[in-house]
Amino acid sequence: MKAMSSQNKNPMLNLILFGPPGAGKGTQSAKLIEKYNLLHISTGDLFRKHLSEGTELGLLARKYMDEGHLVPDEVVIGMVDDKINENGSVKGIIFDGFPRTVAQAEALDALLTKKGNPVSAMISLEVPHNELRERIKERGKTSGRVDDQNDEKINTRIQVYEKETFPVAEHYAAQGKLHKVNGVGTIDGIFDNISTIINSL
Ligand code: AMP
């Protein structure tokens, strides 16, 4: 049995990349996993993969995703738990698009604390809503995502973010782990600002 895993000398770098839809989480995650050699867990990508493979989970998620609503917490948490366990020992994990509710955040905290490697920091990309709508519609031209192509669905997603997801930032602020970054600017400029935060952890 492993003794005192919470006194791990080389704690994992477990980051939550946070922000509304269209804030640039996917773009910045791709750069971060390369620089810091981390496992990327994007719940949106995982659901889309299930959907493309026609799994039961994908079919279940689809009806929520297509309308811009959240997939039920227990489904998301189970999927993330499986993904973490599948990957065994890694240097750290970037959570992208998760947690999206306070219940998901509490479940993630419990899961990671049990493994002796709690969340290191939440990095929140701050982008004004008008800019988000433009970015999502632009992405919709090539992403093929149903939820990127319709004003009503985009509005629903932003409203769901405000109501269900925004409180997750307060959850991590209360733990002293919230770091805000201006999400408007060049991709490399934003990445440098995120890297500065990570290097100071
Ligand atoms: P994303 O690619 O992160 O924008 O996610 C696309 C859609 O997948 C969301 O609008 C939700 O329907 C679903 N989804 C992704 N992540 C979560 C999550 N953590 N909790 C609930 N639903 C999620």
Side-chain angles (χ1 to χ4, degrees):
M1 202 175 95
K2 253 203 240 159
M4 304 299 283
S5 58
S6 59
Q7 290 186 359
N8 198 338
K9 278 203 195 103
N10 293 307
M12 283 165 63
L13 181 61
N14 288 329
L15 301 172
I16 298 171
L17 203 53
F18 187 76
K25 301 186 294 291
T27 305
Q28 294 297 334
S29 289
K31 292 173 75 69
L32 289 165
I33 53 172
E34 202 181 314
K35 177 164 180 178
Y36 294 97
N37 200 8
L38 304 171
L39 170 69
H40 183 205
I41 298 186
S42 157
T43 44
D45 285 353
L46 288 173
F47 284 132
R48 281 184 288 278
K49 184 160 183 282
H50 274 282
L51 200 56
S52 72
E53 291 167 355
T55 68
E56 214 174 298
L57 182 63
L59 292 175
L60 185 151
R62 180 181 200 157
K63 57 181 197 282
Y64 299 97
M65 294 174 77
D66 283 356
E67 295 308 317
H69 294 296
L70 294 183
V71 177
D73 285 337
E74 61 276 16
V75 176
V76 188
I77 293 163
M79 183 175 73
V80 170
D81 194 7
D82 287 349
K83 187 78 189 167
I84 294 174
N85 291 328
E86 247 169 51
N87 280 278
S89 104
V90 288
K91 284 183 129 182
I93 306 173
I94 292 194
F95 297 95
D96 164 3
F98 176 88
R100 250 175 162 103
T101 63
V102 172
Q104 289 179 19
E106 286 168 350
L108 178 67
D109 289 349
L111 223 122
L112 292 180
T113 303
K114 202 167 83 187
K115 292 179 190 297
N117 283 295
V119 169
S120 316
M122 166 182 269
I123 297 179
S124 171
L125 291 169
E126 311 277 310
V127 179
H129 286 185
N130 286 348
E131 167 107 9
L132 294 175
R133 281 180 241 277
E134 292 308 313
R135 286 189 190 181
I136 296 171
K137 275 215 255 184
E138 196 53 39
R139 180 172 73 187
K141 290 179 188 166
T142 52
S143 71
R145 284 176 56 172
V146 181
D147 60 345
D148 278 350
Q149 292 170 4
N150 168 299
D151 282 325
E152 202 186 310
K153 287 173 185 169
I154 295 171
N155 278 333
T156 304
R157 285 160 69 202
I158 294 176
Q159 279 163 16
V160 167
Y161 170 80
E162 286 295 324
K163 190 162 169 272
E164 311 265 349
T165 305
F166 187 73
V168 178
E170 286 154 19
H171 174 88
Y172 287 103
Q175 296 182 16
K177 292 180 177 171
L178 174 65
H179 302 262
K180 294 182 182 176
V181 171
N182 182 0
V184 182
T186 64
I187 291 174
D188 287 340
I190 297 166
F191 181 64
D192 284 347
N193 291 336
I194 296 176
S195 299
T196 304
I197 294 170
I198 295 175
N199 295 338
S200 74
L201 291 174

